């Protein structure tokens, strides 16, 4: 029960929502405006990608303070570049399609082309990536909590349960077994869901 | 030099510059007065003023960045508040331990991932293929730190085969060093093993269906020769570059593995620094890791250029 409560109050789903808020506008603005804006966003994305996920999340949690909200922000920021890259690539591919050219030819404004014509056509791979990233975010949150930088006791989190359990590994090994199995199961489930969604939504990728 | 490599080199410089801005910007995220955070429990106004002057906190942010980047370029990343040692010295002292762990983990990943990927591709939909897929998916789904705890429970506590943690320097005893690194390397390498396996499988499946492999088979070559000499050599091109990129991931993943196995490396340094509010060390580690990652990225591009003749054409 505690493990289930830990997940319900866990951060990954909320961190994923935060990413969704930030990723698309950045990538779309980068492409919509083009030129130096695109270059600047691309270099910023490269720089964020250069900071390994966990190290960046640890650093953000360290400077912002170790708690649940900051863990969400840290995981969201650390995972954001993948979405910017993916959206950028997808928009680049879609914006050369004939239907976009046709929408432009009939005089649609730039914003309308981006939101009504391009965005719906780039959503599928983003949904797949979001599902797979939820799996990564669960592991990232558990890692931060395991290190004491995420959810703080007495509030439950699978990572902090494991951190506590490792001190009693020889006396009470089951304390470490169950939270870990719970993490594996949910991560595996999201990975399989992501693979399944990819098969359905993005058959070219398989 | 090829235009592609020159462009990659040119892109790396602004990227590195933005990394320094991000790392410096971390300090600006500290809630409240950074001098108070740096002073810890001390609230003496004179001490706070001295800290502000020492770290140029009384200067505009742009000037603070200029001082900081100037120091970083000369190898001065500040002084650790906890140990009073230069951050660069601390990082360089801990780095060999983490590099050894990362190198051994990569060895594990290559030794298991590539053969598993090849077998899986050569015999698709066989039992071996399914086993390799399950191992691959598990490697991506099992958190390293939990795998580490479970290995300690089984191998050390139950069977008493290997030490549950700690580190012995190779200069002290190479045998004991390897003994203490077997489990951490397996744990850290598990994720990369899965990635290597999946990429090798996918690359091999593509190559095995190509015309030149069919020609090699038509010439009557042994299947083993076709697979190893003809198919694998080409399939390994993307895998090798991927290996260079994943070395950076291993540096990052070492944080958890070192915490679980109590290894005094780079990762443990950053975790201890977080709890000691040793911000200069955290900044130093992030800057160092990101720079190493950018260099490894460049290295991967150069490796790709060297091993892929089509890039030189």
């Amino acid at each position: 029960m505690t493990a289930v409560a830990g997940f319900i109050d866990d951060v990954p789903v909320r961190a994923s929502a935060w990413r969704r808020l930030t990723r698309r506008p950045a990538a779309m603005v980068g492409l919509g405006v083009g030129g130096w804006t695109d270059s600047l966003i691309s270099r910023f994305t490269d720089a964020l990608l250069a900071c390994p996920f966990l190290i960046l999340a640890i650093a953000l949690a360290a400077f912002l303070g170790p708690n649940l909200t900051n863990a969400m922000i840290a995981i969201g920021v650390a995972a954001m570049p993948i979405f910017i890259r993916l959206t950028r690539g997808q928009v680049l591919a879609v914006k050369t399609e004939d239907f976009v050219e046709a929408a432009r030819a009939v005089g649609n404004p730039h914003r309308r082309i981006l939101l009504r014509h391009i965005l719906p056509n780039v959503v599928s791979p983003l949904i797949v990536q979001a599902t797979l990233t939820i799996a990564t975010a669960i592991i990232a949150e558990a890692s931060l909590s395991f290190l004491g930088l995420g959810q703080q006791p007495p509030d439950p989190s699978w990572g902090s349960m494991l951190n506590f359990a490792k001190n009693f590994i020889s006396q009470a090994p089951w304390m470490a077994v169950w939270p870990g199995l719970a993490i594996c199961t949910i991560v595996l489930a999201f990975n399989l869901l992501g693979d399944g969604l990819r098969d359905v939504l993005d058959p070219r990728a398989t | 030099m090829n235009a592609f490599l020159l462009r990659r080199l040119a892109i790396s410089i602004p990227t590195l510059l933005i990394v320094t801005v991000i790392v410096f910007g971390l300090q600006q995220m500290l809630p409240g007065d950074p001098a108070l955070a740096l002073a810890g429990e001390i609230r003496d106004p004179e001490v706070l003023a001295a800290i502000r002057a020492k770290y140029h906190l009384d200067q505009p942010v742009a000037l603070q960045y200029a001082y900081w980047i100037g120091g970083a370029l000369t190898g001065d990343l500040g002084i650790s508040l906890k140990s009073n040692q230069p951050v660069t010295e601390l990082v360089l002292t801990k780095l060999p331990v983490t590099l050894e762990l990362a190198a051994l983990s990569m060895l594990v990943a290559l030794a298991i991932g590539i053969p598993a990927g090849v077998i899986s591709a050569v015999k698709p939909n066989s039992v071996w293929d399914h086993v390799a897929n399950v191992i691959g998916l598990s490697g991506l789904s099992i958190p390293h730190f939990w795998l580490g705890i479970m290995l300690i429970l089984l191998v050390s506590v139950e069977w008493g085969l290997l030490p549950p943690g700690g580190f012995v320097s190779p200069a002290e005893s190479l045998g004991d060093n390897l003994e203490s690194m077997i489990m951490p390397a397996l744990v850290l390498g598990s994720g990369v093993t899965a990635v290597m396996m999946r990429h090798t499988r996918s690359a091999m499946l593509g190559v095995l269906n190509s015309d030149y492999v069919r020609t090699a088979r038509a010439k009557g070559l042994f299947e083993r020769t076709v697979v190893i000499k003809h198919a694998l050599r080409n399939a390994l091109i993307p895998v090798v570059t991927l290996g260079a990129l994943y070395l950076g991931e291993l540096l990052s993943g070492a944080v958890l593995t070192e915490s679980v196995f109590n290894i005094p490396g780079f990762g443990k340094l950053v975790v201890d620094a977080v709890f000691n509010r040793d911000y200069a060390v955290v900044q130093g580690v992030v800057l160092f890791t990101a720079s190493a990652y950018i260099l490894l990225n460049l290295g991967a591009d150069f490796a790709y250029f060297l091993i892929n003749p089509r890039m030189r054409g």
Side-chain angles (χ1 to χ4, degrees):
Chain A
M1 256 333 271
T2 322
V4 175
F7 175 65
I8 289 168
D9 202 34
D10 235 336
V11 293
V13 176
R14 277 181 272 170
S16 192
W18 198 85
R19 271 193 307 277
R20 277 198 290 273
L21 280 175
T22 53
R23 75 204 179 192
R24 260 179 246 150
M28 299 284 282
V29 164
L31 274 147
V33 179
W36 67 269
T37 318
D38 181 29
S39 297
L40 190 67
I41 292 175
S42 293
R43 293 296 76 75
F44 180 72
T45 312
D46 284 346
L48 274 181
L49 277 171
C51 304
F53 188 83
L54 192 59
I55 296 272
L56 185 63
I58 288 172
L60 284 169
F63 280 90
L64 295 169
N67 60 47
L68 183 68
T69 312
N70 292 339
M72 283 193 284
I73 295 171
I75 295 169
V77 168
M80 186 173 61
I82 300 164
F83 288 97
I84 297 179
R85 275 275 178 90
L86 183 63
T87 312
R88 184 180 184 278
Q90 291 294 318
V91 174
L92 271 177
V94 170
K95 77 174 193 176
T96 56
E97 297 278 345
D98 289 345
F99 68 90
V100 176
E101 198 60 43
R104 197 171 288 131
V106 295
N108 277 309
H110 205 61
R111 181 190 293 253
R112 188 180 164 84
I113 294 173
L114 274 176
L115 297 178
R116 293 291 298 272
H117 298 276
I118 294 181
L119 186 61
N121 285 289
V122 301
V123 161
S124 299
L126 292 175
I127 292 172
V128 174
Q129 185 59 43
T131 314
L132 293 171
T133 309
I134 289 176
T136 320
I138 291 170
I139 292 189
E141 190 279 330
S143 305
L144 284 178
S145 295
F146 178 75
L147 293 171
L149 298 169
Q151 178 80 293
Q152 298 296 311
D155 293 321
S157 161
W158 289 336
S160 51
M161 285 166 76
L162 278 171
N163 188 21
F164 185 67
K166 81 169 195 264
N167 302 320
F168 305 99
I169 194 79
S170 46
Q171 298 96 328
W174 57 88
M175 283 175 69
V177 171
W178 298 112
L181 274 180
I183 298 171
C184 291
T185 311
I186 195 81
V187 170
L188 189 64
F190 274 108
N191 275 332
L192 291 173
L193 179 66
D195 284 349
L197 278 175
R198 183 185 291 146
D199 291 345
V200 174
L201 297 172
D202 192 16
R204 281 170 303 177
T206 53
Chain B
M1 203 191 292
N2 180 293
F4 164 76
L5 290 181
L6 279 175
R7 198 171 63 243
R8 291 292 300 129
L9 201 62
I11 286 175
S12 300
I13 295 163
T15 306
L16 198 56
L17 207 65
I18 295 174
V19 164
T20 62
V21 174
I22 293 172
V23 175
F24 174 78
L26 287 171
Q27 193 181 308
Q28 306 301 315
M29 286 182 190
L30 277 173
D33 185 355
L36 280 173
L38 291 169
E41 301 295 312
I42 307 165
R43 289 290 179 273
D44 185 349
E46 280 183 23
V47 174
L48 291 175
I51 288 174
R52 282 192 194 100
K54 186 180 175 188
Y55 294 101
H56 311 289
L57 297 172
D58 46 1
Q59 308 275 356
V61 176
L63 214 57
Q64 286 179 38
Y65 172 73
Y67 279 117
W68 183 79
I69 190 77
L73 284 172
T74 54
D76 175 15
L77 291 169
I79 302 287
S80 159
L81 289 176
K82 175 77 178 170
S83 64
N84 230 9
Q85 274 180 284
V87 172
T88 315
E89 195 182 301
L90 268 177
V91 169
L92 291 177
T93 314
K94 304 287 183 184
L95 192 62
V97 179
T98 305
L99 280 182
E100 186 195 349
L101 177 59
L104 288 173
S105 307
M106 185 52 82
L107 210 64
V108 167
L110 294 173
I112 301 173
I114 292 178
V118 171
I119 293 169
S120 178
V122 170
K123 297 177 189 294
N125 297 318
S126 65
V127 177
W128 291 110
D129 186 21
H130 293 310
V131 169
N133 275 328
V134 168
I135 292 172
L137 206 55
S138 310
L140 295 175
S141 305
I142 298 176
H144 296 160
F145 53 94
W146 185 64
L147 184 63
I149 294 172
M150 290 299 102
L151 277 181
I152 290 174
L153 179 63
L154 274 179
V155 181
S156 305
V157 177
E158 290 293 320
W159 302 333
L161 292 176
L162 290 168
F167 177 74
V168 181
S169 161
E172 223 172 282
S173 161
L174 188 61
D176 289 349
N177 169 265
L178 288 175
E179 205 171 65
S180 67
M181 290 299 243
I182 291 175
M183 280 202 294
L186 274 173
V187 167
L188 185 57
S190 63
V192 186
T193 303
V195 175
M196 288 287 174
M197 197 281 288
R198 286 183 134 196
H199 278 272
T200 308
R201 182 181 186 275
S202 150
M204 279 294 285
L205 280 175
V207 169
L208 283 171
N209 288 323
S210 61
D211 289 342
Y212 77 90
V213 169
R214 198 181 313 128
T215 310
R217 282 200 181 110
K219 283 196 307 187
L221 292 176
F222 288 116
E223 186 62 18
R224 180 180 293 215
T225 315
V226 173
V227 170
I228 294 174
K229 270 192 80 176
H230 294 262
L232 186 60
R233 273 174 72 167
N234 279 299
L236 277 185
I237 291 175
V239 178
V240 167
T241 52
L242 199 74
L245 290 178
Y246 269 89
L247 265 176
E249 292 289 321
L250 289 176
L251 284 181
S252 155
V255 174
L256 286 160
T257 313
E258 287 174 6
S259 284
V260 172
F261 291 98
N262 209 17
I263 297 171
F266 196 62
K268 198 159 186 313
L269 176 73
V270 71
V271 175
D272 290 345
V274 169
F275 287 112
N276 294 325
R277 294 178 174 272
D278 206 343
Y279 299 111
V281 174
V282 177
Q283 278 180 311
V285 169
V286 179
L287 183 64
F288 188 87
T289 321
S291 309
Y293 197 79
I294 290 172
L295 286 177
L296 284 168
N297 245 310
L298 258 181
D301 286 336
F302 275 92
Y304 193 69
F305 177 78
L306 285 177
I307 60 178
N308 190 353
R310 276 173 295 191
M311 293 290 292
R312 282 174 268 159

